[in-house]
Structures are given as C-alpha cells and as structure tokens.
Amino acid sequence: QVRLVESGGGLVQAGGSLTLSCVASESHFSISHLGWYRQVPGKQRELVARITSSHTPVYADSVKGRFAISRDNARNTVTLQMNSLKPEDTAAYYCNLQSPPFGSRRNEVNYWGQGIQVTVSS
C-alpha cells in the first residue's frame, strides 16, 4: 500500500507562514504527479496546488502569489510553502500522489494522505 504522511499543520495568525510536508512510500515517486488539496466541512475538496513529474507547478487562483509547491524526488517529499495566510485558508489539507499508468495498469491511480489541519486566526 502507498502511504502518504503529512506534517507541518497547526494554528497560525493571519499574515503568517506555514509549511506542509508530505513523505510518500512509493517506488515510482519520481514519475508521479503530486499535489495538495483542501477541504472545509460542508464543501467539496478543492485543488490548492500540484506539481507534475517534470516539476511544472499549477496553482489555484486563490493562492497564486502566496503559496509555493516543490518536490524532492530523492527524499520522496512534496512541500507546500504557505505565506500571507488568510482566515479563508483554514481547512484540512490533503497530500495527493497520482501514479501514472505503467506495467500492467492502464489507468492512473490516486493516493491520499490522512489530512492535516491548518487554522488561520484573524
């Protein structure tokens, strides 16, 4: 089983910074797409940022200019640096790994972390 372990969440004041990290147990980490999603109770999970196997980042409009996603294939780690945090950023954040088709599998498969809480106070 692929497991994603998240760390770095917590409580921070508006305008502050926080860094989330996710370590994956995955043999093909370097060819997988990675991302961070967040979810608020009563709402659907939404994309925050993702980074492809070629290190191309994509961000939600709501976090552009404030968040930065990066990956370290040697450490099987994806990191989300969050700056200028707002109360609207409060949510449970989930690490995502999308494994591409390879071997006998024809479709990509998504794996998820347990979720880590980020709370931004005003």
Side-chain angles (χ1 to χ4, degrees):
Q1 288 279 1
V2 174
R3 294 184 177 182
L4 306 176
V5 181
E6 302 135 327
S7 62
L11 175 65
V12 67
Q13 189 175 356
S17 299
L18 206 60
T19 300
L20 304 181
S21 295
C22 174
V23 180
S25 60
E26 167 57 48
S27 299
H28 303 287
F29 184 91
S30 63
I31 63 173
S32 299
H33 300 327
L34 304 165
W36 288 95
Y37 293 70
R38 65 188 181 189
Q39 187 171 24
V40 176
K43 295 184 178 180
Q44 293 185 335
R45 189 172 299 181
E46 65 176 9
L47 171 70
V48 177
R50 72 193 304 265
I51 185 166
T52 67
S53 59
S54 60
H55 297 256
T56 301
V58 178
Y59 298 96
D61 289 340
S62 60
V63 305
K64 285 182 178 178
R66 299 189 297 120
F67 292 8
I69 189 170
S70 61
R71 64 189 294 163
D72 186 343
N73 291 339
R75 299 175 61 194
N76 277 23
T77 301
V78 59
T79 300
L80 183 68
Q81 181 183 337
M82 303 182 292
N83 300 317
S84 301
L85 283 162
K86 305 175 180 179
E88 305 94 280
D89 296 318
T90 296
Y93 284 70
Y94 295 85
C95 180
N96 167 256
L97 183 150
Q98 186 178 75
S99 184
F102 67 92
S104 61
R105 197 181 74 224
R106 292 190 292 272
N107 301 315
E108 65 271 11
V109 176
N110 281 289
Y111 300 93
W112 297 92
Q114 294 296 112
I116 188 166
Q117 183 67 33
V118 171
T119 302
V120 184
S121 64
S122 59

